[in-house]
Amino acid sequence: MRQAGMTADEYKTVLQSILQVHSQLALEHLNAIKHALPQKARQVMVGVHPGQSEEGFFDIVVHLEGPDLYVLDKAIERHRLLFEVKCIDGQMRPDVPMFDPDEAAFSVNDVIVDICMEWIEGLWQRLGGLGLPAFVFGEEGYGTVESKPLLP
């Protein structure tokens, strides 16, 4: 559903509550990744990937750093996607607010990245990390900071 007149603060509150509903599943994915980490993995990066049009679509994906990225990512493939917004049969899944990029009074993608970074930091602390250096980043420079270290 298109959101006309929603403020950045209202959007942050709605987005935080939606992410909270998905916290347990995301923690299960992170725990599975922790147990499937290839020996050659050197670093974990969690990317918040907002859509280019700033309508409200985004994904949160775990990436590994090390030699042979294809093999590394293949080892965690089933669990890499921590959160995804998609449209199925005309319905948003999950039901996140969507925006007309020409009418939003704020940067939708900046808010998405900032709120998702906070969510990932909280999940990371609850899990105690994955045992490797890690950080969360916003794709394309969105968000108020480029990246943050993830600390257990």
Side-chain angles (χ1 to χ4, degrees):
M1 177 188 312
R2 296 272 179 207
Q3 299 297 314
M6 181 179 268
T7 68
D9 286 339
E10 290 168 334
Y11 182 50
K12 286 176 186 178
T13 300
V14 169
L15 197 52
Q16 285 167 331
S17 65
I18 291 168
L19 289 168
Q20 280 309 117
V21 169
H22 293 85
S23 290
Q24 188 56 44
L25 183 58
L27 279 169
E28 290 170 14
H29 282 296
L30 287 170
N31 195 43
I33 289 170
K34 186 175 190 173
H35 290 49
L37 274 177
Q39 268 191 322
K40 293 188 177 192
R42 299 290 176 251
Q43 180 170 264
V44 179
M45 300 172 301
V46 182
V48 181
H49 304 279
Q52 290 180 335
S53 64
E54 294 210 39
E55 290 180 304
F57 287 98
F58 67 97
D59 299 331
I60 303 173
V61 183
V62 176
H63 308 274
L64 298 178
E65 282 273 318
D68 201 347
L69 290 178
Y70 176 79
V71 172
L72 294 179
D73 287 339
K74 191 80 171 154
I76 63 166
E77 182 175 19
R78 289 184 38 221
H79 304 288
R80 293 181 66 205
L81 190 60
L82 299 183
F83 189 88
E84 176 182 31
V85 176
K86 55 188 169 185
C87 186
I88 301 173
D89 297 328
Q91 297 291 318
M92 297 311 298
R93 302 278 185 225
D95 190 17
V96 300
M98 298 305 286
F99 297 86
D100 180 329
D102 295 327
E103 294 180 11
F106 58 93
S107 170
V108 173
N109 285 354
D110 282 346
V111 172
I112 287 170
V113 169
D114 288 348
I115 295 304
C116 290
M117 280 184 166
E118 289 174 14
W119 182 65
I120 293 297
E121 286 178 300
L123 293 175
W124 210 260
Q125 290 172 356
R126 285 173 60 187
L127 184 67
L130 297 185
L132 288 175
F135 67 92
V136 60
F137 69 93
E139 188 176 43
E140 301 291 329
Y142 287 110
T144 53
V145 297
E146 188 175 323
S147 65
K148 292 181 181 181
L150 291 169
L151 306 171

